[in-house]
Amino acid sequence: MLHIKCPHCGMRSQNEFSYGGDATVKRPELNKEVSDQDWDNFVYNRKSLRGKHKELWQHISGCRQWIKVERDTATHEIFKTVKASEDI
Amino acid sequence: MTQNYRLDNIGLINRDKKISFKFNGVTYFGYEGDTLASALLANGVHLIGRSFKYHRPRGFFGAGVDEPYAIVQLYRNNETEPNVKATEQELFEGLEATSVNCWPSVNFDIGAINNLLKIFLPAGFYYKTFMWPKSFWYKVYEPFIRKAAGLGVASIEHDKERYEHKYEYCDLLIAGSGPSGLASAYAAAKNGARVILAEDKPRFGGTLLTSEVNIGNQTGKEWAENIISELKEMPNVIVKNRSQVFGYYDHNMLVMSEKLSDHLPKTKKYNPKQRLWYIRAKEVLISSGSIERPLVFGNNDTPGVMLSSAAKEYLKVYGVLVGKKPLIFTNNDSGYETAIEFKKNGVDPIILDTRKEPKSEIIDEAKKLDIEIKFSYVVVAAKGYKKVKSAEVAKISDDKNELGTLENINCDCICVSGFWTPTIHLASQSGNKTTFNKDIDAFVPGLSKQNETTLGAANGTFTLEETLKSSFETGYELSKKITNNDNKTSSPTVMEKKSTTHDKFWCVPLPKGKTYKRFLDFQNDVAVSDVEIALKEGYRSIEHVKRYTTLGMATDQGKTSNLNGLQLVSNIENKIVPEVGHTTFRPPYTPVTIGAIVGREVGKHSKPTRKSPMHTWHEKNNAVFVDAGVWLRPRYYKIGEETLFEGSKREAKNVRTNVGVCDVTTLGKIDIKGPDAAELLNRVYTNAWLKLPVGKARYGVMLREDGIVMDDGTTTRISENHYHMTTTTAQAANVLSHLEYYLQLVWPELNVNVVSTTEQWAGAAIAGPKSRDLLQKLFPNIDASNEGLPFMGYLEADLFGVHARIFRISFSGELAYEVNVESDNGNFMWEKIMEVGQEFKIQPYGTEALSTLRIEMGHIAGSELDGRTIPYDNSLEGLVSKKKDFIGKRSLEREAFIAEDRQKVVGVVPIDKKTSIPEGSHLVKDAMAPTPNPKLGYISASCWSVEYDNPFSLAILKDGKNMIGQKLFAMSPLKNKTIPVEIVSSHYVDPKGERVRS
Amino acid sequence: MSSISALKNIHIKGLFGDHEGKNDKELLKISELSDYLIIQIVKYNSSAITIENIKLDDLNLKNETLNISCNTNTRILWNGPNNWLLVSSKKEILKEINEKLPETDFAITNISHSRAIIQIEGKNTKEILKKGCPFNFNELKKDTCLNSIYNGMSVTIDMLDDNPDKVRIFTLRSFGESFYHSITDACLEFGYKGI
Amino acid sequence: MHDDNALFSEFGMDLWRKMSQDLNYNVMFSPRGIINLAHSDAQMNVFARRGNSMRLNGIDAVLLNREEVKEIIPMADFSDNVRFPIFGGLMQPSAGTARHDAVAWGYARQADSMGVDIIQNCEVTGFDVVGGKIQGVRTSRGDIKVKKIGLCVAGSTNVLAEKLNMTVPIETHLLQACVSEPVKPVLDKVVTFGAGHFYISQSDKGEMVMGGDLDGYNSYAQRGNLPTLQHVLTEGIAMMPFLSKLKMLRTWGGIMDMSMDGSPIIDKTHIEGLYLNCGWCYGGFKATPASGWTFAHTIAQDRVHKLNAGYSLNRFHTGHLLDEKGLGTKTWIS
């Protein structure tokens, strides 16, 4: 079971969290023109890196905050976690 | 039976407590503290089972977890457990066990016919035969082979035992209570660290229980006992025996299975049989010791051939002689220790040492005791079928290639020692890249991957002095790092006999003309020749060799066989072992009861159940419940012998004619507050929300970014900045997360708070032509008229002294209202509605009637919103705003989504107006067409229209909008039904929606 | 009596589990708490108000994890960043809250009926928690709180006392029955008294 | 079931039936039948939809009621102490299992004897692409000049795609499985749990082979964590309580590429000479022969076969999705 540091609550076990996928995909702004490619990249295409991976988790059975986590997908080592409002 | 092989002056068993047990129907006696294995050996029983492939006789090879042979079927407290290791199972009064994998009996085993055929069963045998004729494999051969497979018998009875879990945290977790475990635990505990010390055996102390050493003027055993009793007294220490740390997972999470009752005749009431510990440790000390390696020679699987360390353990711990004419076959000094113990206890052993002229204190002592030693000698083959009768031995040349003339030595057991293999499983599981240590011909842990440190024999350190020194040091250093205390315990003085280096030789060559099987994996019958074949056939990766030969894949997971397998591969390949590399060590270290892994979430409680505040009322009124996710909802309220069809029809009809009440508490409710609440809704829903007046509700649809409908429901504006959102029961949790995602990550500039109030409010839907009259009676102080409370209107009022919210919304398509009160008052509300509703012929209705009502009204629900449809498919395109942007809008422009012949929800009526159309049927043009018959769409929901008293269904149909009026066939081959149908509008009843507005 | 609390139809008084031969002190005590005011207080992102100056029932809103500010009637539990659960036996506090916390800056939501509350007391209390909750309770002191999960159900745990241990566990009301079973089942090994 | 998936897998079934003979290697193909259990009428209807679709496509399928299921697998939980009672199930009698290693070995032996050069322990480190055309591949054991490359590296698709500056509608995830100790035969069907993701079958050795959910976060580590298996086995015991007494012998974790609609991709790419075969999620094994056959066709003819026409890379752009479960792009929710 992963041990994830919630930037708000501290070290917590994985089963308090739910996974949210790639944290680097940015939703295109509302009411702005978006090219097909950009939209497809946002909705479907993923790098799914081997190694350092920036991803989202929600502390769903904790403070319910979405957080950003940098984790090694090859070793599961977690390097850092930050708040939703911070960049990772 | 008498315990002929039991000595009465040695061992740690309790001779005051005699225990009777049965093996294969025969009653024997042993003592408290025995294992099944030691007790059987005490009684001279060596034949215990049959091997997997050839069904060769099997005895005991080890004395613990590494045991490949002694697998039994255990009977305990009217339950039976397969594949129990006799060497691990402690004896208890009334224990019964039988051999596995042999029929009709262990002495006469029909399967042994395979043994005579063994020449035909080399590695990969199955893959190259049994192919012809076609289909014979699974029709004839496979069933036959399956019968022979498997070890014990699994009863399909439910398990009556309890298994529990525990989450624990500590500074140091120490796996193994041998010298290194005890020393490091003691040093760390003394320095204030929170320590957990785990020992898989019943007794603490590991090798200290059997070795002749002296620590601080105490025997090793005494020292161990004193340390343990001191540790047990310390509040910062948890000491657990019968507890196996079997897995090292991510972020220093280790899992341990504690056996609390397996050694008892039955589990104490209310107590678990086993407890699974999830342990998060800051530091992990692996002191799991090492396992003796076999030497490989002809028929080395004969009962009576066993590890010399096991023979010593049976002697010193259990007071049992594994033989009275022991032959010790060793390539190192360990064999001598065993021989010395035999000698001290009045038995004359013979030692065959593969080495030429080794010199050491231990060897000198053996010589002093006049033990017969033959140097440069090997066992060529064991003789005897069900038990060793003698050994064929020979001198071996210095280069270990030439055997001298064969001689025979009478013996009743052969104790082998091929030196030691460190138990590195946990280290390897943590991700540690192990390295090969040439001095000991074995792998040892390399650089730590997680916070693990390996000590003592597990790390390839085989002298007690070094082990204790490094262990005390490590325990102190690590604890200091964590606690910042500086309380150092120093290592005691140690006296042990020095040993000399071992011989790398481990596999005895075959004498000319002999075809003895030389086994590597004893349970799976993998011999040297099998590995040779695998390599000949081009399998290079050790993982392939393992799978092809099944080497190390038995229930012992190759604890005694893997390394010899590697050595063999490397010999043949002319590589060094590290190049070959070992197969991955994966949890569990030793098999773990599945019940223990699962814990208490079994039976009715395998998943939580959610219930509404009115649940008890429903139960009292014969509700038949249905699972809606993890919620339980009334499906219909059974009257007499009513079937589901009859009951739901009655309830639905009553809604259409009078009034019905339905528990809608399960619908998701989200309280939305904040200055930007309207803006959030406007971005989340496909329709416009900025102009919704206070006191009004509106229906909305929300999409995923890929344009697929995520959920629908009504949201009501309670006050300026306060909205009450409802979701479907199924999507409630997802929608809340969805909103939080956008508020926290995408639009943090919005000042909005969302919180689930699903359980805050109990909800009752009142539907039917008489619902207004009922409402007026329930709330005399409100104006319930169409003007006072119009469609999609909202009011707050007093229900007999209880605060209530009234929404005029409808799912049934009838004139309807939804009343919410705080959950504590839910039951009160419900009873009042039923009471006041009597005069209007009110009846409660369940989800079945509810779906009937919504289907004939053409209201879409879960079966249409199945995560694969877009608004258009559900005839919701009218709700999709052209003006504003919203989540998922961009995806709706995609080719397939705007295709002219896009699927759409339609109504379906059987031509004969009688035959109900099974849900899951498909619509086709030509019922006679050959397969594959092109499918135009499928029936998503069916009901019996209470309005028109004939069957009606909804379907998702290709080009639905142009299919109205068409005649098609609804086909359900599964139910042998082909029904001519007509496609009609999905709004079958009240298409203009006048009733809800009336 | 119109109101029925979450566990009213489930909670049973009496002795259960392995209680025989154990004195009252050794046994765990299980009770349902009902009729409490539970208010979620959330401060909006852009609010400029400094919470230090705010007092509710003479208690501060502290924005730090595990924190509780409490008096005999009222406990304000930290529930997340700028997010608190106010739990009180004093119903009238709601008025005070609405007066002191402007709706332009705070979302005040009454969720009193949305939770089932079980109180556990006794020396083995933490053992019960450890059976189903992955949190590290070893260092958890009096007057701290946390949100976590117990056998798959989200919970809020309020450590009322640590000598002997005494906790309140809040779970979603609809899960109440399953949760009550989970807790009492975990107590069987030690024996418990429903009060 | 989408027609594309149905017809494709049925084509595969034909190849399975004669594989041992085709390869002259016993892959132990054993069509012992698969049962998907249903735990509500709603689920029975979903299965009916799938079963009818299969039948209309000429594939065998039977809808079983509770009693019929009990006949076939009495060890499933038909007691009252059950959270999700068994309502019935969908059975495909002709489906079954095969010895996965043997399939790989059999193909390898046959391909080898046909002159295919199989280079073991050889990692692809890069590609030579000039003017939108594949020129060659760089490997840990040297460069190879080629005109066409078939990329079929489940679990590493994202990694190799990156070397081609492609992003694909795929995420790489971890799936665990485990076996129990071998016991005498009790179960001769493959069974899946309808109130979760648990599947089980008994191998010829007697081991219960079990698995279910993904670990639920992007991963290339071939090691999982126990809570996932705990969850999976909880569903296992809920379905077949007797499993509780068996012991878990071996666990392992494999990585798989999860596509954004749960269906595979077998297609050409924008790079000439580069062909893609990926996104099999965890359903790839049963498709092995059909996947290979259609991929070979696509590579050799430089155009897709009608069987894999639906498995286009472009479908995510056009919206012609093949989402059987309706889970959308949350690949980690298996």
Side-chain angles (χ1 to χ4, degrees), chain D residues 1 3 14 16 18 21 30 41 49 65 74 90-91 94 115 121 125 146-147 162 175 195 200 205 268 295 300 310:
Chain D
M1 178 150 52
D3 290 356
D14 288 336
W16 274 118
K18 47 190 169 74
Q21 289 68 34
S30 169
D41 283 336
R49 188 205 297 181
N65 63 30
L90 179 68
M91 177 162 73
S94 67
N121 305 319
T125 56
V146 286
K147 290 204 173 56
E162 199 193 6
L175 181 71
I200 185 170
K205 269 190 80 186
K268 302 166 63 176
F295 196 40

Side-chain angles (χ1 to χ4, degrees), chain B residues 265-391:
Chain B
K266 64 194 286 262
T267 310
K268 190 177 173 216
K269 196 168 179 213
Y270 301 122
N271 282 244
K273 184 187 190 200
Q274 296 179 15
R275 176 173 281 120
L276 192 85
W277 294 59
Y278 279 102
I279 302 171
R280 186 86 62 180
K282 293 203 181 88
E283 294 286 339
V284 179
L285 293 180
I286 300 166
S287 48
S288 43
S290 59
I291 292 173
E292 200 165 22
R293 286 203 288 274
L295 290 168
V296 176
F297 53 88
N299 302 331
N300 55 331
D301 64 332
T302 312
V305 178
M306 68 168 62
L307 294 172
S308 91
S309 55
K312 189 171 75 172
E313 184 169 340
Y314 285 119
L315 189 50
K316 296 207 73 176
V317 175
Y318 305 101
V320 170
L321 290 170
V322 298
K324 294 179 180 178
K325 277 184 290 169
L327 180 66
I328 315 289
F329 180 28
T330 185
N331 71 353
N332 69 95
D333 285 9
S334 306
Y336 288 77
E337 294 176 7
T338 305
I340 289 165
E341 292 303 331
F342 272 114
K343 185 74 176 183
K344 284 187 182 163
N345 288 281
V347 175
D348 280 325
I350 302 174
I351 298 176
L352 300 194
D353 191 328
T354 65
R355 297 173 294 182
K356 199 169 179 193
E357 272 142 8
K359 305 223 173 320
S360 76
E361 290 179 21
I362 296 173
I363 298 172
D364 293 341
E365 188 190 7
K367 287 177 176 163
K368 265 199 231 82
L369 290 166
D370 294 323
I371 294 173
E372 181 182 354
I373 308 171
K374 290 165 164 287
F375 292 110
S376 298
Y377 254 80
V378 296
V379 173
V380 175
K383 295 289 184 177
Y385 181 53
K386 290 175 191 165
K387 175 78 196 290
V388 170
K389 291 196 171 60
S390 68

Side-chain angles (χ1 to χ4, degrees), chain B residues 52 79-84 101 126-132 134 137-138 142 146-159 163 165 246 248-250 255 276 278 429-430 450 524 537-540 544 547-548 553-555 557 586-588 591-595 597-598 601-604 606-609 627 629-630 635 644 704 706 863 866-868 894-897 919-922 924 931-933 935 938 971-976, chain D residues 1-3 7 17-18 20-21 24-26 28-32 41 45 47-49 51-53 55-58 61-63 74-75 77 79-85 87 90 99 101-102 105 109 120 180-188 195 202-207 210 217 222-227 229-231 233-235 237-238 241-253 316-321 323-329:
Chain B
F52 199 85
E79 297 222 14
T80 179
E81 183 181 349
N83 307 345
V84 173
N101 212 350
Y126 296 108
Y127 306 127
K128 292 176 222 141
T129 44
F130 294 135
M131 267 173 286
W132 303 99
K134 189 165 175 294
W137 164 251
Y138 56 84
E142 190 190 32
R146 279 174 78 80
K147 268 194 200 60
L151 290 170
V153 177
S155 116
I156 66 169
E157 295 300 308
H158 296 195
D159 193 343
Y163 304 91
H165 284 181
F246 66 80
Y248 197 139
Y249 296 92
D250 287 328
V255 187
L276 192 85
Y278 279 102
Q429 286 173 18
S430 88
Q450 302 193 45
N524 276 1
E537 296 191 0
Y539 296 98
R540 289 292 167 270
H544 278 300
R547 284 165 179 71
Y548 196 62
M553 293 181 83
T555 58
Q557 291 284 288
R586 294 187 181 279
V592 184
T593 307
I594 289 172
I597 294 168
V598 169
E601 289 168 62
V602 291
K604 272 202 176 335
S606 59
K607 260 212 173 72
T609 306
D627 286 297
V630 291
R635 196 172 184 188
L644 171 66
R704 310 189 308 219
D706 62 1
S863 47
D866 65 354
R868 316 190 310 167
R894 291 183 293 173
E895 179 185 315
F897 286 14
E919 289 175 345
S921 301
H922 288 266
V924 300
T931 61
N933 186 347
K935 305 185 296 299
Y938 62 88
M971 289 188 72
S972 176
L974 292 170
K975 299 193 168 123
N976 293 319
Chain D
M1 178 150 52
H2 282 277
D3 290 356
L7 297 170
R17 290 183 192 104
K18 47 190 169 74
S20 291
Q21 289 68 34
N24 185 30
Y25 199 77
N26 185 358
M28 301 182 179
F29 174 62
S30 169
R32 61 185 64 166
D41 283 336
N45 295 333
F47 285 169
R49 188 205 297 181
N52 283 322
S53 160
R55 289 281 288 270
L56 288 167
N57 283 316
V62 188
L63 201 61
M75 74 291 297
D77 196 343
S79 75
D80 300 337
N81 180 29
V82 58
R83 178 69 183 84
F84 298 107
F87 276 56
L90 179 68
R99 175 93 176 85
D101 287 327
W105 297 335
R109 284 164 61 104
Q120 299 185 52
S180 75
E181 291 184 330
V183 290
K184 293 292 178 201
V186 286
L187 179 65
D188 68 349
Q202 188 173 20
S203 76
D204 286 341
K205 269 190 80 186
E207 299 169 335
M210 302 172 283
Y217 40 85
Q222 280 153 309
R223 54 196 297 268
N225 284 297
L226 195 63
L229 280 177
Q230 178 190 322
H231 175 72
L233 293 170
T234 299
E235 294 178 347
I237 291 186
F242 84 99
L243 294 172
S244 172
K245 285 180 283 187
L246 301 188
K247 298 192 211 74
M248 184 176 79
L249 171 63
R250 203 164 59 245
T251 69
W252 62 93
F316 297 94
H317 174 66
T318 61
H320 292 95
L321 304 167
D323 190 345
E324 300 285 1
K325 292 182 181 164
L327 292 173
T329 60

Side-chain angles (χ1 to χ4, degrees), chain D:
Chain D
M1 178 150 52
H2 282 277
D3 290 356
D4 300 286
N5 287 332
L7 297 170
F8 190 89
S9 61
E10 183 54 13
F11 175 71
M13 284 300 296
D14 288 336
L15 296 175
W16 274 118
R17 290 183 192 104
K18 47 190 169 74
M19 185 184 289
S20 291
Q21 289 68 34
D22 290 348
L23 301 177
N24 185 30
Y25 199 77
N26 185 358
V27 299
M28 301 182 179
F29 174 62
S30 169
R32 61 185 64 166
I34 290 182
I35 300 178
N36 309 113
L37 294 179
H39 306 270
S40 69
D41 283 336
Q43 195 168 29
M44 284 295 276
N45 295 333
V46 171
F47 285 169
R49 188 205 297 181
R50 193 197 305 169
N52 283 322
S53 160
M54 290 162 71
R55 289 281 288 270
L56 288 167
N57 283 316
I59 306 166
D60 64 327
V62 188
L63 201 61
L64 306 169
N65 63 30
R66 180 179 166 93
E67 286 61 38
E68 290 164 326
V69 172
K70 194 172 181 179
E71 281 288 305
I72 303 170
I73 46 168
M75 74 291 297
D77 196 343
F78 293 93
S79 75
D80 300 337
N81 180 29
V82 58
R83 178 69 183 84
F84 298 107
I86 294 167
F87 276 56
L90 179 68
M91 177 162 73
Q92 186 185 357
S94 67
T97 62
R99 175 93 176 85
H100 59 283
D101 287 327
V103 173
W105 297 335
Y107 271 117
R109 284 164 61 104
Q110 205 54 22
D112 178 73
S113 67
M114 293 165 79
V116 176
D117 191 359
I118 300 172
I119 308 169
Q120 299 185 52
N121 305 319
C122 178
E123 181 192 0
V124 170
T125 56
F127 302 86
D128 292 331
V129 183
V130 180
K133 279 192 182 145
I134 280 289
Q135 304 290 333
V137 59
R138 286 189 290 279
T139 80
S140 55
R141 301 176 62 176
D143 298 0
I144 307 171
K145 288 263 162 268
V146 286
K147 290 204 173 56
K148 294 184 172 188
I149 294 177
L151 210 62
C152 42
V153 288
S156 299
T157 306
N158 289 106
V159 175
L160 288 189
E162 199 193 6
K163 298 182 191 298
L164 290 152
N165 305 318
M166 289 172 70
T167 52
V168 286
I170 282 177
E171 285 188 342
T172 307
H173 284 274
L174 170 65
L175 181 71
Q176 292 189 80
C178 65
V179 296
S180 75
E181 291 184 330
V183 290
K184 293 292 178 201
V186 286
L187 179 65
D188 68 349
K189 293 269 180 289
V190 181
V191 187
T192 70
F193 184 54
H197 299 110
F198 179 78
Y199 68 83
I200 185 170
S201 68
Q202 188 173 20
S203 76
D204 286 341
K205 269 190 80 186
E207 299 169 335
M208 296 291 176
V209 185
M210 302 172 283
D213 293 278
L214 296 169
D215 267 41
Y217 40 85
N218 295 51
S219 176
Y220 289 86
Q222 280 153 309
R223 54 196 297 268
N225 284 297
L226 195 63
T228 308
L229 280 177
Q230 178 190 322
H231 175 72
V232 166
L233 293 170
T234 299
E235 294 178 347
I237 291 186
M239 182 172 97
M240 295 183 176
F242 84 99
L243 294 172
S244 172
K245 285 180 283 187
L246 301 188
K247 298 192 211 74
M248 184 176 79
L249 171 63
R250 203 164 59 245
T251 69
W252 62 93
I255 52 177
M256 36 221 68
D257 30 358
M258 303 297 295
S259 74
M260 291 283 162
D261 65 356
S263 292
I265 297 165
I266 306 179
D267 200 1
K268 302 166 63 176
T269 65
H270 69 284
I271 298 171
E272 190 180 333
L274 181 78
Y275 306 85
L276 203 54
N277 184 338
C278 60
W280 286 99
C281 304
Y282 29 66
F285 183 63
K286 68 172 185 294
T288 304
S291 163
W293 193 93
T294 52
F295 196 40
H297 177 284
T298 307
I299 295 172
Q301 309 267 328
D302 192 43
R303 58 184 170 82
V304 297
H305 187 275
K306 69 174 197 308
L307 280 166
N308 63 310
Y311 294 160
S312 72
L313 185 52
N314 194 39
R315 70 176 185 269
F316 297 94
H317 174 66
T318 61
H320 292 95
L321 304 167
L322 300 172
D323 190 345
E324 300 285 1
K325 292 182 181 164
L327 292 173
T329 60
K330 290 189 175 172
T331 57
W332 53 90
I333 303 172
S334 51

